[in-house]
Amino acid sequence: MAARTRLRSFPHIRLPEYAELVVFLGFVWGVGDTVTTVLAAHVTGSVAGELNPLVRTLLEADPAVAILLKGGVAVVACVVLVAAREQVTDVPGWRVWFLGMIAVGTLIVAQNLSVVFVASY
């Protein structure tokens, strides 16, 4: 509670709204992770670096199915988060959880992109 009061004393700091966090979470995990995972598998010519066995199997079988599955899971997660807004915002530290998940997703996207750049050169 004290941290929120301190943040409000700085008028130039705007806390992200719930909907913004849900959209960005969906973008990072649904689009960013999906596209960079498929791109990394394509550039390296191997799916051995994928740690998720389900995604690895889907990438070996058909990358389009992997895209549909990963994107679909992100959409469903976002819909559930929007539907459960009241319950989520009642949990202390919900913004920290969102920001943490966005940060982890961003690191995964960056790692996938580093694989793409290293394999390309």
Side-chain angles (χ1 to χ4, degrees):
M1 193 63 90
R4 177 174 280 189
T5 305
R6 276 186 261 136
L7 283 175
R8 289 184 185 195
S9 66
F10 295 103
H12 60 278
I13 295 178
R14 186 182 71 80
L15 296 175
E17 297 295 324
Y18 186 83
E20 294 170 332
L21 292 170
V22 170
V23 167
F24 200 65
L25 184 71
F27 180 76
V28 168
W29 284 96
V31 177
D33 180 41
T34 301
V35 170
T36 58
T37 297
V38 172
L39 187 61
H42 176 72
V43 169
T44 61
S46 171
V47 296
E50 176 59 49
L51 297 178
N52 184 332
L54 175 62
V55 174
R56 187 180 328 120
T57 303
L58 291 173
L59 285 170
E60 288 172 345
D62 187 5
V65 175
I67 291 170
L68 289 174
L69 178 72
K70 287 176 71 98
V73 167
V75 167
V76 168
C78 288
V79 168
V80 168
L81 285 169
V82 168
R85 179 183 183 143
E86 289 183 26
Q87 291 83 7
V88 172
T89 55
D90 284 344
V91 176
W94 63 269
R95 275 191 179 92
V96 174
W97 179 84
F98 269 102
L99 294 172
M101 292 302 295
I102 291 167
V104 169
T106 303
L107 289 174
I108 290 171
V109 168
Q111 189 267 338
N112 286 344
L113 288 174
S114 70
V115 169
V116 170
F117 291 132
V118 167
S120 297
Y121 293 106

